[in-house]
Amino acid sequence: MATPYSHDRLGGIEVFVQAAEAGSFALAADRLNLTRSAVGKSIARLEARLGARLFHRTTRQQSLTDAGQAYYDRCVRALAELYDAEAELDSGRRAPRGRLRVSAPLVFGRHCVAPVLRELAAQHPQLQIDISFNDRVVDLIEEGYDLGIRIGPLPDSSSLAARRLGLQTMGIGAAPAYIAAHGRPVTLDEIRQHAGVVYAHGGVEKGWSVMGPDGQVIQLHLPPRLRLDDLQAIADAAIAGAGLAWLPCWMLTHYVRSGELEVLMHGDRMAAQDVHAVWPQARYLPSKTRAAIDALAAQVPAMLAK
């Protein structure tokens, strides 16, 4: 008679798979919301039960043994079937539950994603939402995220599904004091003569996508007075009079209303960017993921239109 798997045994298998895919116990612990010690003990119990060493461990890295690789291949297939079965049952539930890991761009995530998901979590006590704010494009599958928010064109992918949340329009603004001191540029050539507060990530400066005279999108580059990798810091610097800034209109409008910035160019002279929710492709979408996508699709467009 076959011995049924206990919860701990299944849990040990899931921990093992996450540790193998993450490449470290520390990353696996973060994905599973456990301590590194708990992950290590779970792997040790699994190895003791199997009578086989699953990982080569050194002070700098860990890798699967031959036995570990063979066991991992079987575990992945078995867990995929279990996850599909759970998602199929879960897709009919009305109440989202469980842990939802979300990745979102830093400033957009704070202002447009977090309020929506915070409200969703308040409505569903059995739902736990973890949001990571980062302008880096994360690998949702490799890093164990259920949902991601992407701004800009999406590359072709057979492993990800997407839903458009809206269109983010951009604008160029400057502080009233800066305009009084340096003049108000109107044309693209005039704008190019001014100091810019520009976004740069990893040492790479991002140009401003604007519509050229022939209607084609061009990349506008200004002499950078400051290079920053955070939109809020860029807005703060522009408000302080450091130069012109290229900002999302939902953000720029807030500072125009307060009188801290003035709009120099926006609307049909700016290239807009699509905003999408993306998630790992699956036959069945868990209710927790579906609820988050639906909530974002219902509320984000109004935020973008401000």
Side-chain angles (χ1 to χ4, degrees):
M1 181 177 178
T3 302
Y5 273 97
S6 68
H7 172 75
D8 288 342
R9 293 179 77 174
L10 285 176
I13 291 172
E14 186 175 31
V15 170
F16 162 68
V17 169
Q18 288 288 348
E21 293 179 348
S24 79
F25 289 0
L27 286 177
D30 181 59
R31 295 181 186 180
L32 293 166
N33 203 25
L34 299 172
T35 64
R36 189 190 184 286
S37 174
V39 169
K41 289 177 181 178
S42 179
I43 298 297
R45 288 194 297 268
L46 182 61
E47 289 179 325
R49 190 174 81 235
L50 296 174
R53 191 171 185 84
L54 301 175
F55 288 98
H56 295 297
R57 300 178 180 85
T58 68
T59 55
R60 293 187 177 182
Q61 62 181 3
Q62 66 185 43
S63 59
L64 289 170
T65 63
D66 290 343
Q69 184 64 57
Y71 190 60
Y72 167 80
D73 293 339
R74 287 179 174 265
C75 287
V76 167
R77 292 194 295 270
L79 286 177
E81 289 295 325
L82 287 173
Y83 292 155
D84 275 350
E86 285 187 6
E88 183 178 7
L89 292 173
D90 183 63
S91 63
R93 289 178 179 165
R94 298 184 63 184
R97 66 186 66 193
R99 186 184 184 210
L100 181 73
R101 297 190 72 221
V102 181
S103 171
L106 189 61
V107 176
F108 183 86
R110 288 176 178 172
H111 288 267
C112 299
V113 176
V116 176
L117 297 187
R118 186 170 62 239
E119 180 181 328
L120 184 68
Q123 294 170 353
H124 302 285
Q126 292 182 304
L127 179 63
Q128 177 192 348
I129 299 178
D130 295 356
I131 309 177
S132 175
F133 302 107
N134 197 316
D135 287 336
R136 176 178 61 87
V137 178
V138 305
D139 186 322
L140 299 182
I141 297 173
E142 181 69 22
E143 299 183 44
Y145 285 96
D146 301 294
L147 185 65
I149 307 300
R150 301 278 168 82
I151 301 175
L154 294 178
D156 292 335
S157 174
S158 60
S159 61
L160 297 177
R163 181 173 176 181
R164 186 174 179 272
L165 300 180
L167 194 65
Q168 176 174 271
T169 55
M170 305 295 292
I172 299 175
Y178 177 91
I179 295 172
H182 301 280
R184 178 185 295 274
V186 176
T187 68
L188 294 181
D189 286 338
E190 290 173 348
I191 287 176
R192 286 190 180 97
Q193 306 307 312
H194 284 258
V197 183
V198 302
Y199 183 92
H201 187 71
V204 179
E205 181 183 319
K206 184 175 182 180
W208 300 356
S209 298
V210 302
M211 305 300 292
D214 58 356
Q216 297 297 312
V217 177
I218 62 173
Q219 296 299 307
L220 188 64
H221 292 274
L222 276 66
R225 170 145 327 156
L226 289 172
R227 290 187 179 95
L228 303 167
D229 67 354
D230 178 77
L231 280 178
Q232 187 60 61
I234 290 173
D236 292 343
I239 290 168
L244 277 56
W246 189 61
L247 297 168
C249 284
W250 58 264
M251 189 179 190
L252 181 59
T253 300
H254 170 77
Y255 295 112
V256 170
R257 288 173 178 166
S258 68
E260 295 170 283
L261 292 175
E262 293 184 17
V263 176
L264 301 176
M265 187 177 291
H266 69 100
D268 58 3
R269 301 183 68 181
M270 293 285 106
Q273 300 171 300
D274 282 321
V275 180
H276 288 90
V278 297
W279 62 92
Q281 184 74 262
R283 282 183 289 179
Y284 304 100
L285 190 62
S287 61
K288 62 182 181 181
T289 309
R290 185 182 302 278
I293 296 168
D294 288 344
L296 291 166
Q299 298 185 51
V300 167
M303 298 177 180
L304 293 174
K306 290 181 179 178

